[in-house]
Amino acid sequence: VTPGHRDPDSTDDEPRPAPAWDEVLAAARHDDGPSRVCDLLRVCETVITRAGLSGFNSMGSPRKDAQALVYETLAIRDHSDRFLDAVVTSVERAAILDLLERRVAGPIPVPYLTGQAFFAGRRFFVRAGVFIPRSALGYLLDEVLGAVAWSATPRLLEVGCGTGALGISIAVRAPGVHADLVDIDPLAVQVANENIARHGLADRVRSSVSDMYAGVDATARYDLIVANLPYVPDVQIGRTNREIEGEPQSAIYRPGDGLDHVRAVLADAALHLADTGLLVLEVGTFNRTGVQELVSGRGRWWTVGNQEAGVLSITRDELKA
Ligand SMILES: C[S@@+](CC[C@H](N)C(=O)[O-])C[C@H]1O[C@@H](n2cnc3c(N)ncnc32)[C@H](O)[C@@H]1O
């Protein structure tokens, strides 16, 4: 064949399928496989991406998943790139690749593998069976707290606290606040208590089991009530992203239109709020119309940048109007 001319029978130019995630992983286990931190980061990110996982309920992206798998295994807590060229020992490499395999084959979100989740810039314990903290509210904390009229004895209630990440993040930002974090799930309350201790807040934050407001001190009046309760209609079970399937259904789904818990938290909020109190709910962007009807168009809807956050705040006065 004359150089520059294609052999019509040649298949050289046909696109070859990219190696599948399990091929990349198997090759990485060879003796001459990746040996530096940067190599392991690259392999982890490629394997997670090739497996079709977005990481949305994990660390947020394949890249962040890769960083968490590598750096948590190497006990580098700040996930910074200080050690990109550092050599990873064979035993460390095997441990990282074992976690990677579990991440993808499950799929299991990284926080369930490492026991560590990150929310609003802080680190929280989490374990399988408890919702992995993530909420648009995490990006709005300072703005939302600016809208709270704290009393002389400031109090916060979180209904459906999961790991406690949201309530604890607020308590850290509002140093005088006493907070009650409740959840119907005893495992969530146990994890929340571990996080309260981890953040050194046991003197002013406590967590207990409660079905909505049922176990909440009826005489307490809260300046702020926050809730990110389950609000996805259960017809969506099995139809949403498969990555979500490892999380507890009771933390995500509700029957019918998905809004019974949102109705319940709205209905009795005025009984538990101080006169100038504020209720802040994450309800998901797709529920905005339904929730707007429930509150007769009152309240304020928040945005993160120019994106709708699916977060409503409403004062006690507006709730009673
Ligand atoms: C979407 S998760 C949110 C957890 C946490 N607020 C966060 O943002 O990470 C919803 C939480 O509400 C809890 N929950 C569900 N039904 C509840 C109820 N009837 N009373 C109190 N908590 C409930 C679940 O156990 C779960 O921990």
Side-chain angles (χ1 to χ4, degrees), residues 22-46:
D22 49 345
E23 293 175 280
V24 179
L25 181 59
R29 289 191 187 278
H30 287 165
D31 287 345
D32 59 353
S35 59
R36 293 170 306 164
V37 168
C38 58
D39 303 326
L40 262 304
L41 286 170
R42 208 282 296 155
V43 166
C44 288
E45 184 171 340
T46 298

Side-chain angles (χ1 to χ4, degrees), residues 207-275:
S207 182
S208 57
V209 174
S210 173
D211 182 356
M212 304 301 281
Y213 299 111
V216 172
D217 175 2
T219 64
R221 291 293 170 268
Y222 295 94
D223 304 293
L224 175 62
I225 299 176
V226 293
N228 173 20
L229 287 156
Y231 54 67
V232 182
D234 63 2
V235 291
Q236 296 293 338
I237 293 175
R239 291 192 201 164
T240 46
N241 194 315
R242 73 189 164 108
E243 290 177 67
I244 224 172
E245 283 167 17
E247 287 185 280
Q249 290 190 349
S250 59
I252 297 171
Y253 299 104
R254 293 300 301 166
D257 68 358
L259 292 177
D260 65 335
H261 274 3
V262 173
R263 280 188 197 89
V265 83
L266 281 165
D268 286 341
L271 298 173
H272 300 275
L273 281 170
D275 289 347

Side-chain angles (χ1 to χ4, degrees), residues 119-120 122-125 141 156 158 161-174 179 181 191-201 204-207 226:
F119 183 81
R122 284 171 199 277
R123 183 182 273 265
F124 294 90
F125 294 122
L141 285 181
L156 160 72
E158 180 179 8
C161 64
T163 59
L166 180 54
I168 289 170
S169 300
I170 293 173
V172 167
R173 283 170 169 76
L181 316 182
V191 171
N193 276 320
E194 287 170 29
N195 281 314
I196 290 166
R198 176 183 220 167
H199 291 273
L201 293 169
R204 61 189 181 92
V205 181
R206 56 190 180 177
S207 182
V226 293

